[in-house]
Amino acid sequence: MSIFTPTNQIRLTNVAVVRMKRAGKRFEIACYKNKVVGWRSGVEKDLDEVLQTHSVFVNVSKGQVAKKEDLISAFGTDDQTEICKQILTKGEVQVSDKERHTQLEQMFRDIATIVADKCVNPETKRPYTVILIERAMKDIHYSVKTNKSTKQQALEVIKQLKEKMQIERAHMRLRFLLPVNEGKKLKEKLKPLIKVIESEDYGQQLEIVCLIDPGCFREIDELMKKETKGKGSLEVLNLKDVEEGDEKFE
């Protein structure tokens, strides 16, 4: 016995629904689970890895596809791929309470892992464990935001934790080789971006070994290229200036 299925219906399973209301109507797209966050954070760039189909629905669970005239009225186009991108970026992800809880737990752990990887106790130069960072995040009642990337949130967490504990981003160790004539002038411009100058050696070139905040690296690199016109060099000696062993709370 054959079962009649209307032509405007598409059945999908194992789906994450993203919903948007526009022009008084509801529009939905069907995505693969766990892919929406990846797309929004920039990790996933292949749309076909995110969308189950490039169709726009009024109701995914019932398989009801949106009408062409409704799409034009709401979005000014009937290009379904472009509309899918808009909904994917700005729409609201529909998830069950259990799924949301699992997602938040995973993001919380990922944020703590990034913080532990990037930071140290500035007094001992030792890194903190992920478990210790998780505990500290719970102590400050940090609330995970599903619409922000874990990297963005890790930077927010570092700022908040600084108010409660000894923590800062691990410094990078750099070596500058500068032409002596321009070197002294450039050193003055670099000073505000340098945390600690460990050594200076005036020979045929000015050699400086120093520690910087990783957030300043791009600015330093651009300043070097601009001021030395390719005559100076910049070398990363250590990405993270850390001591062996994990930091512990007494």
Side-chain angles (χ1 to χ4, degrees):
M1 186 177 78
S2 63
I3 298 172
F4 173 70
T5 304
T7 54
N8 72 331
Q9 286 195 352
I10 300 173
R11 295 289 183 189
L12 295 163
T13 56
N14 190 30
V15 66
V17 176
V18 184
R19 180 183 297 162
M20 178 186 275
K21 287 187 178 175
R22 205 84 176 267
K25 292 186 182 293
R26 184 177 80 178
F27 299 96
E28 298 181 345
I29 57 172
C31 304
Y32 291 103
K33 289 190 176 182
N34 307 320
K35 289 289 185 176
V36 178
V37 173
W39 174 269
R40 289 180 173 180
S41 65
V43 173
E44 181 58 70
K45 293 179 171 61
D46 186 350
L47 196 61
D48 290 326
E49 290 291 319
V50 183
L51 296 177
Q52 292 213 12
T53 170
H54 287 241
S55 299
V56 180
F57 299 81
V58 289
N59 190 313
V60 168
S61 62
K62 292 181 180 177
Q64 295 173 347
V65 182
K67 293 175 183 174
K68 182 177 176 179
E69 55 266 32
D70 289 341
L71 294 176
I72 293 170
S73 170
F75 296 95
T77 179
D78 63 347
D79 184 333
Q80 302 227 6
T81 299
E82 284 307 309
I83 294 169
C84 283
K85 284 182 184 176
Q86 283 191 49
I87 297 173
L88 186 56
T89 305
K90 299 177 183 175
E92 186 181 324
V93 184
Q94 308 299 302
V95 292
S96 68
D97 289 342
K98 185 181 177 183
E99 285 175 322
R100 186 179 296 277
H101 181 70
T102 303
Q103 181 191 4
L104 291 173
E105 273 191 341
Q106 184 58 53
M107 287 185 77
F108 190 89
R109 198 169 297 117
D110 290 347
I111 293 165
T113 302
I114 294 169
V115 174
D117 183 57
K118 289 185 180 295
C119 294
V120 293
N121 180 324
E123 290 184 355
T124 64
K125 293 286 193 294
R126 286 184 170 182
Y128 288 105
T129 62
V130 174
I131 292 170
L132 210 149
I133 295 296
E134 283 185 348
R135 196 191 312 157
M137 285 169 65
K138 286 172 184 172
D139 287 344
I140 63 170
H141 307 292
Y142 186 76
S143 180
V144 174
K145 302 163 191 71
T146 54
N147 61 341
K148 277 191 173 183
S149 74
T150 49
K151 189 173 180 181
Q152 282 178 307
Q153 293 185 76
L155 295 175
E156 286 178 10
V157 167
I158 293 168
K159 282 181 187 173
Q160 291 183 32
L161 289 181
K162 277 183 177 178
E163 296 173 12
K164 300 289 183 183
M165 61 191 281
Q166 291 279 350
I167 189 170
E168 68 176 28
R169 289 188 68 177
H171 295 146
M172 290 172 74
R173 181 175 280 109
L174 304 179
R175 177 193 286 132
F176 299 104
L177 288 174
L178 310 170
V180 174
N181 293 339
E182 295 99 332
K184 291 178 182 178
K185 189 171 73 173
L186 181 54
K187 180 188 158 188
E188 292 307 309
K189 291 185 178 180
L190 289 169
K191 259 187 178 177
L193 303 171
I194 294 173
K195 286 283 185 184
V196 179
I197 294 178
E198 293 187 321
S199 68
E200 284 183 67
D201 184 24
Y202 288 87
Q204 290 182 324
Q205 289 182 304
L206 169 57
E207 180 182 325
I208 299 173
V209 176
C210 64
L211 299 176
I212 68 156
D213 186 307
C216 296
F217 179 77
R218 186 178 294 175
E219 192 177 344
I220 289 171
D221 189 36
E222 287 172 357
L223 188 62
M224 280 281 293
K225 287 173 182 171
K226 180 184 170 188
E227 295 292 331
T228 67
K229 296 180 173 61
K231 292 177 186 174
S233 68
L234 170 60
E235 181 186 356
V236 178
L237 299 179
N238 297 102
L239 281 172
K240 290 191 295 183
D241 177 40
V242 296
E243 296 290 337
E244 291 295 318
D246 293 326
E247 188 61 30
K248 299 178 176 67
F249 277 144
E250 294 300 329

